[in-house]
Amino acid sequence: MSELRTNRIIPRDGLPSGSAGGVIQMVFGSTTTDVTNTNGNYTDTTITATITPTRSDSKIMVIVSIQWLLYRESTEISGSFKLLRGSTNISEHANAVHIEAGTTSQSRIISEGGYMIQRLDTPATTSATTYKVQFKTDYTANGSQMIVNRNNAPGCITLMEVSG
C-alpha cells in the first residue's frame, strides 16, 4: 500500500491572491456542562479545544456555537461573549444577545437562543494552542443571570488549520 504525506498543498497554478490554502487538520470540541454567570465578569464556558499547528504561517479557522439563556426580574437583559487564544482576547462580542420587554405586573425576562462566532486567526506558532469561549451577563441586579449549555444543550468549537 502506498502512502503520500505532505504538510502543505498548493494548487498547480498557485493560490489566488489574498486567499488561504487547504485544510491541514481539524479539531472538534463539545460540551454539555452548563455554566451560570451572575456577577458581570467574564467566566469560562467549558467550550474549548487545543490544536498544534504544523506550520508557523498557518491560519486557524475557529467556529463556535453557543447555546444561551438569559433571565432577569426586570425589563431588559443582555449578555456578552469573548473568544480567547490562550489568555489573549481575539474576538469580543459585547451585548451580543439583548432582550427588552415592556413593563408589566410581571416584569421578568426569560429568553433562550444560539450564538455563533467565526474567526480566522493567525497564531504564528507551532506550539499547542488553546482556544476557549467566555461569557458574562451585562447586568447584575434583579436576579440577572446568563446560562450557557443549559439542559444539556451542546456548546461546540471547531478549529481548522489552513495552509497560509
Side-chain angles (χ1 to χ4, degrees):
M1 178 165 94
S2 298
E3 186 173 291
L4 174 65
R5 293 179 182 215
T6 183
N7 63 355
R8 189 167 186 185
I9 298 173
I10 304 289
R12 181 187 65 184
D13 297 329
L15 295 171
S17 177
S19 71
V23 174
I24 297 171
Q25 63 172 314
M26 186 166 64
V27 174
F28 178 79
S30 179
T31 182
T32 56
T33 302
D34 67 352
V35 183
T36 302
N37 180 285
T38 59
N39 65 14
N41 298 318
Y42 277 106
T43 302
D44 289 346
T45 62
T46 72
I47 301 171
T48 185
T50 300
I51 192 167
T52 305
T54 59
R55 299 177 51 91
S56 62
D57 64 345
S58 291
K59 297 182 183 343
I60 305 297
M61 181 68 200
V62 183
I63 302 170
V64 178
S65 174
I66 307 162
Q67 305 304 313
W68 56 267
L69 176 135
L70 287 170
Y71 173 85
R72 186 174 188 213
E73 294 171 4
S74 187
T75 58
E76 70 179 304
I77 180 76
S78 64
S80 299
F81 300 103
K82 188 166 30 172
L83 175 64
L84 294 101
R85 176 191 347 104
S87 60
T88 302
N89 176 7
I90 61 169
S91 184
E92 188 159 1
H93 303 254
N95 298 310
V97 290
H98 182 90
I99 311 298
E100 264 187 69
T103 305
T104 66
S105 61
Q106 284 212 0
S107 294
R108 74 178 169 156
I109 297 174
I110 301 172
S111 185
E112 305 183 65
Y115 192 79
M116 182 172 255
I117 298 172
Q118 297 181 27
R119 169 72 190 233
L120 186 60
D121 186 38
T122 309
T125 185
T126 56
S127 298
T129 304
T130 300
Y131 291 85
K132 69 178 181 178
V133 178
Q134 293 183 329
F135 77 111
K136 70 174 184 167
T137 178
D138 296 321
Y139 295 83
T140 58
N142 300 349
S144 297
Q145 60 181 289
M146 186 173 187
I147 306 169
V148 294
N149 308 328
R150 182 174 170 266
N151 292 336
N152 294 317
C156 305
I157 184 168
T158 303
L159 306 175
M160 290 182 274
E161 180 183 4
V162 180
S163 61

